[in-house]
Amino acid sequence: MTNSHEVYSILSTRFALYTIMSRIFDHEPDEEILQLVGGDDFVSACSFLEHGSELAHKMSCLAHDVNALDTLSNEYTVLFIGPNKLPVPLWESVYVDKENLLFTQTTLSVRNEYRKAGYIPNGYPHVPDDFIAT
């Protein structure tokens, strides 16, 4: 059985990693995210993950690469913004509904589950609730 300090550490680490992942998918890369993934807190959080030290090392190298911001911004645009068809849509409904549309029944199902849990996401109701950054 774990003690409350261990549980708190695990939950705090999960929160930190989820926050960073949300930030990565929700915003175009900038200096702030490079500082986050290149910092000691990220390295510490990764220690809880399988293969976390490898991830932390790769992210640290990336964060200290002088060309990283340009490279990441270009990749982010191609993958998540366009102008062409997005190779990696960030919404669940695109993958599970035949129509490949946003704000479908899938989105509303996610919204209802959030409501049951007492959660209202940022951007409600203008951002689809099944957005991965949420």
Side-chain angles (χ1 to χ4, degrees):
M1 186 60 125
T2 60
N3 66 40
S4 60
H5 178 70
E6 290 172 332
V7 171
Y8 178 79
S9 292
I10 291 169
L11 293 177
S12 295
T13 300
R14 277 185 152 182
F15 178 77
L17 288 172
Y18 292 158
T19 300
I20 290 171
M21 294 304 294
S22 174
R23 172 66 175 73
I24 287 171
F25 287 114
D26 196 34
H27 295 82
E28 187 171 335
D30 58 16
E31 287 294 333
E32 179 185 357
I33 197 63
L34 290 179
Q35 288 176 357
L36 282 172
V37 301
D40 291 339
D41 289 340
F42 183 74
V43 171
S44 177
C46 286
S47 69
F48 283 85
L49 302 172
E50 184 177 344
H51 307 292
S53 60
E54 181 181 338
L55 172 64
H57 176 72
K58 286 181 180 182
M59 295 303 276
S60 179
C61 289
L62 179 65
H64 296 95
D65 180 342
V66 294
N67 298 315
L69 201 52
D70 287 338
T71 301
L72 291 173
S73 292
N74 289 336
E75 288 183 20
Y76 184 91
T77 299
V78 168
L79 292 172
F80 305 130
I81 296 175
N84 301 317
K85 182 181 178 190
L86 301 181
V88 186
L90 298 174
W91 307 273
E92 177 187 21
S93 55
V94 174
Y95 295 96
V96 300
D97 293 336
K98 293 176 186 172
E99 299 86 19
N100 295 327
L101 300 173
L102 300 178
F103 287 106
T104 64
Q105 186 57 45
T106 298
T107 307
L108 297 177
S109 295
V110 171
R111 179 175 291 172
N112 288 333
E113 291 301 316
Y114 284 157
R115 282 187 182 157
K116 285 183 203 174
Y119 176 70
I120 297 176
N122 290 334
Y124 171 85
H126 305 293
V127 175
D129 303 75
D130 60 346
F131 180 50
I132 193 170
T134 302

